[in-house]
Each structure stands twice: as structure tokens, then as C-alpha cells.
Amino acid sequence: MKQQTMKFIWLFLMPIALYGLYVVFVLIFGTLNDYQPEELIKIEVINNQELIASDSSQFNLMIWNIGYSGLGAKSDFFLDGGSMVRTDKLLSQAYLDGIKSTISAQKNLDFILLQEVDIKAKRSYKVNQFESIAEDLGTYSRSHALNFNVKFVPKPLTSLSPIGQVQSGLASYSRYKVTQANRYQFPGSYDWPTSAFHLDRCFLESRIPLESGKELVLINSHNSAYDGGKLKPLEMAYLKEHLLLEYDKGNYVLVGADWNQCPPNFAYDSFASENADDYYQDNIPEDFMPLGWNWVYDANTPSNRKLSASYEEGKTFTTLIDFYLVSPNIQVIAVEGLDLSFKYSDHQPVKLTIQLR
């Protein structure tokens, strides 16, 4: 009887002990391989173009968080209350094909600023999305800044197939010459051990020379989510200081971003849905930037949807967190959100036409 009892206890405790060893191993592995980038990293500009931008030209831009081609209309996500860790391979490829065809269909785009573009990740079946998109674009310079570089993400801990390896980040494409591309690390981080497996938020700056000798400074950014209000204020203060410094130099400054917050004074629940009371989204403070700086967005088109379930129009909660910020010396000609019914991503593209004053 005693031997049977010991055997039962051993069979009961062994899975717990093995799981404990797995967690310890993951924590040690993640900590030893934690990506800790410097504040400023110069990024390679691939296929750099020779065309110099004219100060008198109009410029057409598009921003889009493509959700690593894993968060289209048929998908949900476990961190948002859904059940999926990653999308089926065929569906992921279909999302990427749709993303590429949507971008290619937008004629005369001078600059394209994308977020959540994977280089190599288990969640997107190790497809280099950065290069795949470039193949369709052709004669564009391009640069990519990592903001998610983890060799093994164990979330969810109870899953037999967790997120795994992720190399992903910000991708910027330009029809014009880029004199320099820089990755700026935002201040602040999550506490350990979360920090070892989470994003290292940054912005990617592309410096576009103009015929006058001035520069158009384009900033591609993706601010923190799930931060409990701890990190975004630090990121925003750091970004503001950088923007004002560039503007004081006489440059033209434009930010295109997934801000993970709504524009100043924009009602986060502007778009009707059955479960609007279940969500809340912060706003950027009205007085965040000095007078003359302009927040630019299409108030009639949602840019983001929540991922607790697959997308259903009128039921899924949608809001607006993807938009632009432009300096006082830039005139806005037009802005348009592209309503794709979130077919290929949990975000929607936003186009912008500007003129330098």
C-alpha cells in the first residue's frame, strides 16, 4: 500500500516538477538573450534611390499596422480575450497577399510607413514580410527597425505551441533618397521577467533631403499597448523633444504611427458597436504639442478593431488610433482612411497628401 501511495505521489508531482523546470529554463534563456538595443542605432537603407525631393512637390503617404499578416477579419488573439495564438498558414499567406495587393493598388505613394512587419517569426511562418512587400514595390528605398526581437516567447505558458521566436518591427519605404535612417529607443520598460519577452518600443526616423538643403524628417512609430499607462507618457515626452528639436532646425517633421491612443478630443467610442461599454482608449492630451502642430486623421473611418473574436461589422468594437502628426510648416491637402472591413489586419491603412509650406 505504501509503495502504491508513493508511486501515486510521484506520478502526481512529476508533471509539476517538469513544468517548473521548463519555466525556470525559459526565464534563464530569455534573460540571457534579452535584446537590449542602444538608444540610437543607424539602420541600413536598402536599395536607396537617387531622386531628390523638391520642396514644391506634393507628397503622398500611407501608414498601416499590418498585424504581421496574422490578425485579419477571420482571426482573434488570446491577449485580447480570443483563443488564437497564431493564424493558420494558408490564411496568414492570404492576409499577406491582400496587404501587398492593397499597397500596390495605391498609386503614386511616395512614402509607406508600416508597423508589425515580421522579418523572421514563428507566428508568420518565417516569411520575410519586409522583403516580400519590397518585391512588389520595386524602386523604393527601404529600412527596417526591430522593436520585437525575442528568441522564444513562451506565451501562453499553458500552450503546447506558444508564440516562439519573433523578429519584427517598423518598415519604411521611400521613392526618394534617404540620407540616413535611425532607430531611436524609447525610454522605459516592463519589469523583469516580462521585459525579457516583450517589445522594445522605438521609432524609425528617415531623413529625406530636399532641393533647398532642408530635410523632411519622417518618423514611423508604434507606441506601447498593455502598459497600464506606465510607458506611453515616457515615450510621448521623448518623441516630443525630438520633434521640436528637428523643427527648430528648420526641417519639416511628420509622424505616422500606431499610437495605441486616440487623437486629442476624439471620442474613442465614435463608431457604433454592440459592446462599446467593454472598452476604453486613452486620448493624447489636447495641449501636448505647441500651437500650429496638427493631428491629422479621418474621423469617419475606424483604424483599429479589437480581437476578442473574429470581425463582425456593427458588433466588433472599433476605434481610431492610427494617424499623423505634422509640423506647422506642412500643409495638409487630404487624409483618407481606407475601409477594408479589417479583412487583412486588425488595423486599416490611412493615406495622407501634404504640401511643404
Side-chain angles (χ1 to χ4, degrees), residues 280-298:
Y280 176 75
Q281 199 83 50
D282 290 326
N283 289 83
I284 296 172
E286 181 180 9
D287 60 352
F288 178 74
M289 293 300 290
L291 219 57
W293 288 76
N294 193 10
W295 302 98
V296 187
Y297 52 91
D298 179 355

Side-chain angles (χ1 to χ4, degrees), residues 253-318:
V253 185
L254 183 149
V255 185
D258 170 2
W259 301 86
N260 270 309
Q261 52 198 321
C262 294
N265 301 316
F266 181 85
Y268 74 95
D269 55 355
S270 293
F271 309 104
S273 70
E274 292 182 9
N275 57 353
D277 293 339
D278 296 337
Y279 294 95
Y280 176 75
Q281 199 83 50
D282 290 326
N283 289 83
I284 296 172
E286 181 180 9
D287 60 352
F288 178 74
M289 293 300 290
L291 219 57
W293 288 76
N294 193 10
W295 302 98
V296 187
Y297 52 91
D298 179 355
N300 298 312
T301 307
S303 73
N304 172 245
R305 66 102 170 177
K306 300 310 174 187
L307 290 158
S308 57
S310 57
Y311 178 70
E312 293 184 58
E313 187 174 355
K315 183 176 181 180
T316 302
F317 179 78
T318 60

Side-chain angles (χ1 to χ4, degrees), residues 117-353:
V117 182
D118 283 1
I119 295 287
K120 183 181 181 182
K122 176 183 176 183
R123 65 187 185 180
S124 52
Y125 301 90
K126 299 184 179 181
V127 174
N128 189 327
Q129 299 172 345
F130 173 58
E131 293 295 344
S132 182
I133 291 168
E135 289 171 4
D136 281 16
L137 288 175
T139 54
Y140 281 73
S141 63
R142 62 189 185 275
S143 52
H144 186 281
L146 290 171
N147 66 3
F148 199 177
N149 186 17
V150 181
K151 291 190 175 181
F152 181 74
V153 180
K155 296 180 181 179
L157 275 170
T158 54
S159 174
L160 295 176
S161 181
I163 293 173
Q165 182 189 21
V166 181
Q167 285 185 320
S168 184
L170 311 170
S172 295
Y173 303 85
S174 169
R175 287 183 58 241
Y176 293 95
K177 183 179 180 66
V178 179
T179 53
Q180 199 171 70
N182 299 309
R183 181 197 188 279
Y184 284 90
Q185 176 66 30
F186 279 127
S189 67
Y190 289 91
D191 295 331
W192 185 88
T194 303
S195 59
F197 305 100
H198 218 283
L199 288 85
D200 296 275
R201 299 287 184 175
C202 66
F203 65 82
L204 174 58
E205 174 193 76
S206 300
R207 307 188 72 90
I208 313 299
L210 301 170
E211 290 177 346
S212 66
K214 294 183 179 182
E215 291 180 301
L216 172 59
V217 180
L218 292 179
I219 291 177
N220 180 354
S221 184
H222 186 187
N223 293 84
S224 286
Y226 311 110
D227 68 327
K230 174 185 174 183
L231 300 179
K232 279 197 284 289
L234 298 175
E235 297 166 0
M236 294 295 286
Y238 182 85
L239 179 61
K240 178 180 179 179
E241 182 179 1
H242 189 84
L243 302 182
L244 295 179
L245 180 64
E246 288 298 332
Y247 180 61
D248 287 344
K249 293 178 184 176
N251 291 325
Y252 303 89
V253 185
L254 183 149
V255 185
D258 170 2
W259 301 86
N260 270 309
Q261 52 198 321
C262 294
N265 301 316
F266 181 85
Y268 74 95
D269 55 355
S270 293
F271 309 104
S273 70
E274 292 182 9
N275 57 353
D277 293 339
D278 296 337
Y279 294 95
Y280 176 75
Q281 199 83 50
D282 290 326
N283 289 83
I284 296 172
E286 181 180 9
D287 60 352
F288 178 74
M289 293 300 290
L291 219 57
W293 288 76
N294 193 10
W295 302 98
V296 187
Y297 52 91
D298 179 355
N300 298 312
T301 307
S303 73
N304 172 245
R305 66 102 170 177
K306 300 310 174 187
L307 290 158
S308 57
S310 57
Y311 178 70
E312 293 184 58
E313 187 174 355
K315 183 176 181 180
T316 302
F317 179 78
T318 60
T319 190
L320 194 155
I321 58 176
D322 305 85
F323 49 94
Y324 298 89
L325 172 64
V326 301
S327 56
N329 52 2
I330 294 177
Q331 179 184 357
V332 175
I333 305 300
V335 62
E336 178 190 8
L338 302 184
D339 192 350
L340 308 177
S341 298
F342 299 97
K343 189 173 182 180
Y344 308 121
S345 172
D346 59 325
H347 292 255
Q348 304 207 101
V350 185
K351 292 175 61 179
L352 175 69
T353 302

